[in-house]
Amino acid sequence: MYTLSKYTDVPSPSLCLLEKYEALVTLNSKGTSNSQTIHIGDIETNYTLEKATITKRTAKMVEKFCLQYGLEEKIMFKHQKMALGVGEKEINFIEHRYKEFKTLFPYLELWDVNTLKQLEPKIVFEDKAQTKIRPEPIIAMGTNTQYTTVDYGQMSQALAKEAHNATDNTTDIFYNTQVIDIFEKEDNTFEVHCQDDTLYTADFVVVNAGAHSLFLANRMGYGKHMGCLPMAGSFYMTQSHFLNGKVYMVQNNKLPFAALHGDPDILADEKTRFGPTALMLPKLERFKPGTYLDFFKTLNFDFHIVKIFWDLLKDSDIRNYVFKNFLFEVPLINKKLFVQDARKIVPSLSVEDITYAKGFGGVRPQVLDKEKEKLMLGEASLTPKDGIIFNMTPSPGATSCLGNAERDMHAIVKHLNLHYDEAQFLSDLTEVIIT
Ligand SMILES: Cc1cc2nc3c(=O)[nH]c(=O)nc-3n(C[C@H](O)[C@H](O)[C@H](O)COP(=O)(O)OP(=O)(O)OC[C@H]3O[C@@H](n4cnc5c(N)ncnc54)[C@H](O)[C@@H]3O)c2cc1C
């Protein structure tokens, strides 16, 4: 809504947002649901240089939006951040990656154990008194000059507010309005039917309904070649300030989800949140009643889904990972097991240091591609025909929200023949120099 209202001449009163719940961010974009990270690609060791080049552009849009409206130090913050390598193999990996990625992120520094003693001592010492250095060699690549952290819940509110401020036209948000069905009419426009019996007509519909995007696409007969696998992510929180910044680990490339990391929580006095875990949940929305049936419908279960699960689970690394992540949710044993994994970051971490972060976390709607028989990593967008788009946004969907908006805005502008001030968009939100 923000990019359309600010950068196009979409006429009045034709822009509105339909929201199922009573507020804008009760699900995954809420500050406590995600890791609050701007995933730009510099310390995310599961990103290739090619992918980081794309994420850098879209991640910068989040930063530039916040700066444009003076939201730095209010909802966007700078933290130290690093990717940590433990042991010779990972040290080689980090050194190589540092050289490769410094061209894209010139601010990156390489930190040896002596520097890390000053910057992040808890990752260096194996005892709490910090007298004994851990036995494995370590190195990290990182920075402490960049914006790293955003309360995406507050950012969503800011986007809605600035969408409203950017135009004299009406930009309505209808709360408690659950879309049940979308029908295409003969004149290629759409009828959007809601649970409260209200009906909206639209020339263009963008469905950004998290895991329910595929659900609504399926109800229209689209996207049956996909399935949705809701992967819940939970966190463990320290009792007080713990790490000085974000610490990420080297990714095991066989695993489909990012390795656990430590992040200071800007909504919890900068206590460190370790996580997220990854557990398949048979429902589409966390901490909300229902949606079990919706899960079974959007899984689109058949032989291809069985094949995807089989291919994943026949690998012992993935099997162990799935089993361990299940145990991370089982009371009494969960903390002990989680601490064992998190000790790769903080060797002296003990069960007394952390508690299960109750009520934190969300669901990543991972997409299963039934044609390729593969779990798709990252986001998916379905454009079955002109005039309608369905977006599925697992992590890092919050970082790429404005990048996705730009892509969708191009399609809308073209389809509805609108004027689009691209130069202003690029100047406000990207690092492109327009000559
Ligand atoms: C554990 C975890 C950690 C993460 N960490 C990060 C991170 O550090 N950085 C990052 O960039 N991303 C992260 N993500 C991903 C990020 O949170 C999501 O990609 C992002 O919030 C998705 O935004 P969204 O608006 O598409 O979906 P949501 O925030 O889920 O919003 C969907 C909206 O659609 C509404 N809706 C659903 N169905 C209907 C309907 N039928 N009718 C009307 N409205 C409907 C819902 O009520 C909701 O308001 C993380 C996710 C998880 C789970």
Side-chain angles (χ1 to χ4, degrees), residues 255-266:
L255 300 181
F257 302 103
L260 75 86
H261 37 89
D263 304 84
D265 189 324
I266 49 174

Side-chain angles (χ1 to χ4, degrees), residues 57 64-65 77 91-92 116 142 160 185 215 238 302 344-345 349 367 409 419:
R57 180 175 181 276
K64 293 204 107 190
F65 171 81
F77 300 88
I91 286 181
N92 286 339
L116 290 171
K185 299 202 295 179
F215 178 81
T238 58
D302 64 5
K344 188 168 173 195
I345 299 177
L349 193 74
V367 176
M409 185 172 56
H419 174 260

